[in-house]
Amino acid sequence: MTARDRLLAAADRLFYRDGLRASGIDTVIAEAGVAKMTLYSHFKSKDELIAEYLRHRGARTREWLATTAARRAAQSGDWITGLFAALKEWFASPEYRGCAFINAASELPDPAHPARAAIAEHERLFAELVTDVLRKAKVRDAEDLTEALVLIINGAIVSVACGGPPEVADTALAAARKVLGRAK
């Protein structure tokens, strides 16, 4: 593993677990086992490291969600159920701390912060993932319903992060079914 990879892995653990502002750069450096000069040879600033952490986490998160939703859809025979079953699995994880992007958006209100572009990109790509699930579920007007499902999913994510049980995913699935049922 390269020094850059170790820095990103340390940032991922610390930023997600403890928060962006609460995780000092010296802690990231110590966790990665690199010198401060090494950090700054790969990233110009902590803000740049945060943006790169989010890009990497987003790619892994979307890949995991797509794969897990497909596996769950194969088990249930239904893509919508598969998506929400994947979310429930995530919610039940002992490491669950909410959505890294929702958390980052609340910690980084400045629209000019370098990480805001990574947040926006993830939201766009996440919406595409939801649209893809809706298409696979043969939902008519999938693109038009994506925003409603993303809102339901984000609400479930925040609810569990605030202390709700993983079963919030079941409530979110029921809400999604109502929205999809009314759209026919």
Side-chain angles (χ1 to χ4, degrees):
M1 183 181 274
T2 68
R4 185 177 195 281
D5 292 338
R6 288 195 317 272
L7 282 162
L8 284 169
D12 185 68
R13 281 189 302 278
L14 295 166
F15 291 162
Y16 184 67
R17 185 188 70 205
D18 301 332
L20 303 174
R21 298 291 181 214
S23 300
I25 206 68
D26 291 333
T27 306
V28 174
I29 290 166
E31 176 98 2
V34 301
K36 193 173 266 193
M37 285 290 289
T38 302
L39 171 84
Y40 290 112
S41 71
H42 292 286
F43 305 99
K44 292 179 183 150
S45 65
K46 181 181 177 183
D47 290 345
E48 189 177 297
L49 175 62
I50 290 169
E52 191 62 18
Y53 143 73
L54 288 170
R55 282 190 284 277
H56 279 263
R57 179 167 270 274
R60 284 192 336 274
T61 299
R62 291 184 305 274
E63 181 181 330
W64 178 87
L65 186 58
T67 300
T68 306
R71 178 175 46 83
R72 295 300 195 132
Q75 293 167 345
S76 68
D78 176 55
W79 276 96
I80 304 301
T81 299
L83 175 62
F84 285 89
L87 290 169
K88 188 175 182 178
E89 184 177 321
W90 178 40
F91 296 164
S93 165
E95 295 84 30
Y96 181 77
R97 303 275 299 150
C99 172
F101 298 87
I102 294 170
N103 297 345
S106 69
E107 283 197 64
L108 307 171
D110 181 0
H113 191 284
R116 294 302 289 207
I119 294 167
E121 178 72 0
H122 171 75
E123 289 304 308
R124 184 184 65 75
L125 293 170
F126 180 74
E128 286 179 11
L129 186 153
V130 171
T131 300
D132 185 54
V133 167
L134 290 171
R135 285 183 184 136
K136 288 175 179 173
K138 302 198 182 335
V139 171
R140 192 175 20 186
D141 301 323
E143 295 80 8
D144 295 338
L145 294 168
T146 295
E147 185 176 2
L149 253 61
V150 168
L151 287 170
I152 290 168
I153 291 167
N154 283 341
I157 289 168
V158 171
S159 180
V160 176
C162 289
E167 291 74 23
V168 165
D170 299 330
T171 305
L173 172 60
R177 291 219 181 277
K178 284 180 183 176
V179 167
L180 295 174
R182 289 187 180 126
K184 291 181 181 180

